[in-house]
Amino acid sequence: MDPQRETPEKNNPEHLIADRREGIGVCGWILVSLSFVLVLITFPISIWACIKVIREYERAVVFRLGRILSKKAKGPGLILILPCTDTFIKVDLRTVTCNIPPQEILTKDAVTTQVDGVVYYRIHSAVSAVANVTDVHSATFLLAQTTLRNVLGTQSLAQLLAGREEIAHSIQAILDSATEQWGIKVARVEIKDVRIPVAMQRAMAAEAEAAREAKAKIVAAEGEMNASKALKQASMVLSESPAGLQLRYLQTLTALAAENNSTIVFPLPINMLESFGQKNRGG
């Protein structure tokens, strides 16, 4: 086997440079030692400047000579800070509400709308939120505005009005993926209001009213057709039984009498009228 291949990766010059950059160096250790000696000399007065309290919902990113200490946030509870060499930044881990102001958006079908929303997110990695972005909250806010405009610009007005939940989930997925390197976890995205021009509202109302009227006419026509079919079948049954027609007359009289009417129309059979006319002519 080639002995060069067995050489560990740490013998690589680039790797050695990286290791040196990760450390604080000899001068750094001297400064840290002097700072520790200063704390011992001024003890117990210096203890008040060295001990810091981190709340339950906070984390502290500690920098020692400009480098993040142990690559991990400290807290909650008490942490020890060396004077002159250590500094720290507190990061709030609670959920943040980001209100997106109304954005003027041109939809896919060329309709101008104003849409506003709200984004709920929190910081899950304090070190990434401090080291990877200057202002994590401002960056998330601006990215949420841009993502909202970009996603809604690919939707039609009907899709925007009917599919708010699906659009919100799509925006959430895009934001969550983009802010992962900033230590952000997007919990929820909601579209609060969709405002359309007044003229478009009137046009949509007229369209909906016309659709309802057309549907009502279709239903009425279907009812008339079913009624005519039923009447046809009833006439065929009554034509086969003349006594059934007389019974129908009597039922109609009963229904009219039940309504407390002062006038009752009594129908006479046509054959009786014909026979009565024949008798008069014969007499």
Side-chain angles (χ1 to χ4, degrees), residues 245-257 261-273:
L245 182 60
Q246 301 298 329
L247 292 176
R248 183 59 182 166
Y249 287 156
L250 295 176
Q251 289 179 356
T252 304
L253 289 175
T254 304
L256 292 173
N261 291 328
S262 58
T263 303
I264 297 177
V265 179
F266 181 75
L268 292 176
I270 298 176
N271 54 2
M272 291 178 62
L273 295 176

Side-chain angles (χ1 to χ4, degrees), residues 50-202:
C50 295
I51 293 180
K52 304 295 180 181
V53 178
I54 305 300
R55 298 182 179 90
E56 181 67 29
Y57 55 84
E58 294 178 336
R59 296 295 183 271
V61 180
V62 181
F63 293 87
R64 175 163 294 172
L65 297 177
R67 299 183 181 276
I68 297 177
L69 185 63
S70 72
K71 305 299 180 181
K72 185 178 180 181
K74 305 293 184 180
L78 298 177
I79 63 172
L80 181 63
I81 300 296
L82 293 178
C84 303
T85 60
D86 294 354
T87 58
F88 70 97
I89 298 176
K90 287 183 179 181
V91 178
D92 197 330
L93 302 184
R94 292 177 293 182
T95 300
V96 179
T97 303
C98 175
N99 288 315
I100 303 177
Q103 304 292 311
E104 190 169 351
I105 299 169
L106 184 64
T107 60
K108 187 177 180 180
D109 49 355
V111 177
T112 303
T113 61
Q114 287 188 347
V115 183
D116 57 350
V118 59
V119 178
Y120 300 92
Y121 68 91
R122 61 181 180 84
I123 297 175
H124 70 87
S125 175
V127 174
S128 298
V130 172
N132 295 342
V133 62
T134 304
D135 188 347
V136 65
H137 298 292
S138 177
T140 304
F141 174 72
L142 295 176
L143 181 61
Q145 286 185 347
T146 305
T147 305
L148 179 66
R149 288 194 297 266
N150 292 340
V151 172
L152 295 184
T154 61
Q155 305 291 326
S156 64
L157 181 60
Q159 294 173 342
L160 177 58
L161 296 176
R164 290 190 182 186
E165 187 174 355
E166 292 78 7
I167 295 174
H169 286 319
S170 176
I171 296 174
Q172 177 184 350
I174 295 174
L175 286 177
D176 198 16
S177 176
T179 57
E180 177 66 25
Q181 60 181 349
W182 300 342
I184 295 293
K185 175 63 179 177
V186 179
R188 191 177 182 86
V189 176
E190 292 290 343
I191 297 176
K192 294 196 298 183
D193 190 17
V194 179
R195 302 173 186 174
I196 58 179
V198 178
M200 180 60 65
Q201 294 180 12
R202 293 175 180 173

